[in-house]
Amino acid sequence: MTLLATVDGLPLRHLRRGKVREVYEVDATRLLIVATDRVSAFDVVMRQAIPFKGAVLTQLTAWWLRVLESEVEHHLVTADARRIVDAVPALEPHLPVLRGRSMLCRRTDVFPIECVMRGYLAGSAWKEYQSMGTLAGEPLPAGLVQSERLDPPRFSPATKAESGHDENIPRAAVAAQIGMEAAAMLEQASQRIYTRARDVAAARGLILADTKLEFGRASEGRVLLIDEVLTPDSSRYWDATAYVPGAPQPSFDKQPLRDWLDDERRAGRWDGDAPPPDLPDALVLSTSERYLDVFRRITGTDLELLELS
Ligand SMILES: Nc1ncnc2c1ncn2[C@@H]1O[C@H](COP(=O)(O)OP(=O)(O)O)[C@@H](O)[C@H]1O
Ligand SMILES: [Mg+2]
């Protein structure tokens, strides 16, 4: 398994470089999405890569999509590098780089909406609630505290901002943008997915505080769940045994990294923008362990890379 910060030389058209993932065009109906081992914190991508992180994101997405198969149609064709290479022979020389971390996907027209489901009051939702008493413009009960459980869970859509932060928008704005029928479909699918995933996570001692889902329309018109799904990069997972409402909760995967960066900032060694400080080896390894642990906790098995050849 290679440690990978950048992907070089794939014989496909490069469509997009995300903070973590690289998106390539296979043809008119298929994409290749490669998750690198890059990690970001406070919106800055670190210079050090985290061993196994790309594989954790990819295999966790594949695992969740199997669990959710009865709830929703999705974009994943295969996350098995051998099968990807069989389907796209030009990738054969790149098999070692792709192994574990790549998804061959059905290509869609992406709805320009981040479908955020929140079961707990955290992040930008807590900020909005504190200042206005609302979530995505809709009133919530008074007197909620930070990290409190929301019953029922709320669909809190956001715009997909190209740069800067996504903006929470009212559900009516979604309907105005993509039509009533599609808006209702995305909301219902998001609710089903979150409810199922929250229960699965709870059975493993994890709280799925919130998650961001994306959907797209495939060429024949069907709506598919796309992108990464229920990964620690797209979701907030908390350790259920350490949960204390009324305060921010430690992030299961990135907390030591965030704490260390906060210390660097306080010590005046980092101004909070790129370039970030170099991460010590021990921090890189403990962060890697945490990603592997999230995978183990959620799926009940170790990440088995030999099987992913
Ligand atoms: N099946 C798909 N069809 C079309 N676009 C997709 C599909 N799956 C994922 N995407 C797009 O791939 C992009 C991944 O980039 P991005 O989210 O910026 O990466 P990162 O999460 O690493 O920062 C997103 O814009 C997402 O909408
Ligand atoms: Mg993304």
Side-chain angles (χ1 to χ4, degrees):
M1 184 90 212
T2 36
L3 180 61
L4 190 77
T6 51
V7 185
D8 292 315
L10 290 193
L12 300 175
R13 189 156 85 96
H14 187 230
L15 296 180
R16 180 183 174 89
R17 167 167 233 220
K19 286 204 185 89
V20 173
R21 288 164 311 140
E22 307 285 350
V23 182
Y24 296 87
E25 171 182 83
V26 174
D27 53 32
T29 61
R30 294 179 301 174
L31 296 176
L32 180 74
I33 303 181
V34 182
T36 69
D37 298 314
R38 296 194 292 264
V39 65
S40 69
F42 304 119
D43 284 330
V44 177
V45 179
M46 301 295 123
R47 280 197 293 238
Q48 281 69 34
I50 305 298
F52 306 112
K53 178 170 180 276
V56 166
L57 300 183
T58 297
Q59 299 309 319
L60 205 48
T61 294
W63 185 87
W64 274 117
L65 288 175
R66 279 195 296 277
V67 169
L68 295 168
E69 210 109 70
S70 56
E71 316 286 345
V72 68
E73 272 193 88
H74 62 75
H75 70 153
L76 182 62
V77 178
T78 180
D80 177 327
R82 187 70 255 169
R83 293 213 179 129
I84 294 174
V85 166
D86 287 346
V88 190
L91 292 172
E92 176 82 51
H94 303 275
L95 181 67
V97 165
L98 299 178
R99 188 170 283 143
R101 62 173 80 254
S102 312
M103 306 197 298
L104 184 64
C105 299
R106 292 170 67 192
R107 188 174 187 170
T108 66
D109 272 335
V110 182
F111 290 107
I113 308 287
E114 310 263 21
C115 294
V116 181
M117 282 298 309
R118 300 178 183 278
Y120 291 76
L121 197 51
S124 67
W126 168 242
K127 284 204 189 107
E128 182 186 324
Y129 178 76
Q130 260 184 311
S131 64
M132 290 174 300
T134 56
L135 172 56
E138 289 166 38
L140 284 181
L144 298 178
V145 298
Q146 187 172 15
S147 308
E148 189 156 343
R149 183 178 162 108
L150 296 170
D151 265 314
R154 309 293 165 122
F155 179 65
S156 106
T159 55
K160 272 166 76 75
E162 262 311 302
S163 61
H165 285 287
D166 300 333
E167 191 194 336
N168 295 344
I169 53 171
R171 283 144 79 216
V174 178
Q177 210 169 341
I178 65 172
M180 290 247 283
E181 202 185 329
M185 196 179 211
L186 266 46
E187 175 167 349
Q188 283 158 19
S190 300
Q191 287 278 2
R192 281 199 307 278
I193 292 163
Y194 177 79
T195 305
R196 178 99 170 83
R198 178 187 59 182
D199 292 348
V200 170
R204 309 286 161 90
L206 291 171
I207 292 174
L208 175 62
D210 53 44
T211 193
K212 181 227 41 159
L213 303 165
E214 288 189 40
F215 296 87
R217 205 182 277 283
S219 52
E220 81 293 351
R222 306 187 76 86
V223 172
L224 307 181
L225 175 62
I226 65 165
D227 209 51
E228 60 182 336
V229 175
L230 293 157
T231 67
D233 280 11
S234 67
S235 318
R236 274 195 183 84
Y237 286 104
W238 298 334
D239 193 340
T241 55
Y243 172 62
V244 188
Q249 309 299 303
S251 146
F252 199 86
D253 47 300
K254 282 187 189 170
Q255 202 60 44
L257 174 59
R258 289 194 187 140
D259 292 347
W260 184 83
L261 287 168
D262 270 335
D263 288 345
E264 290 298 289
R265 237 184 325 206
R266 267 194 293 271
R269 287 191 290 265
W270 183 42
D271 65 2
D273 291 320
D278 281 318
L279 311 180
D281 291 348
L283 182 61
V284 169
L285 289 181
S286 63
T287 304
S288 172
E289 271 307 322
R290 285 190 165 235
Y291 274 89
L292 290 168
D293 199 33
V294 172
F295 182 89
R296 198 178 294 128
R297 286 278 288 264
I298 293 172
T299 67
T301 57
D302 280 310
L303 183 67
E304 186 46 271
L305 291 166
L306 292 175
E307 282 175 14
L308 305 171
S309 61

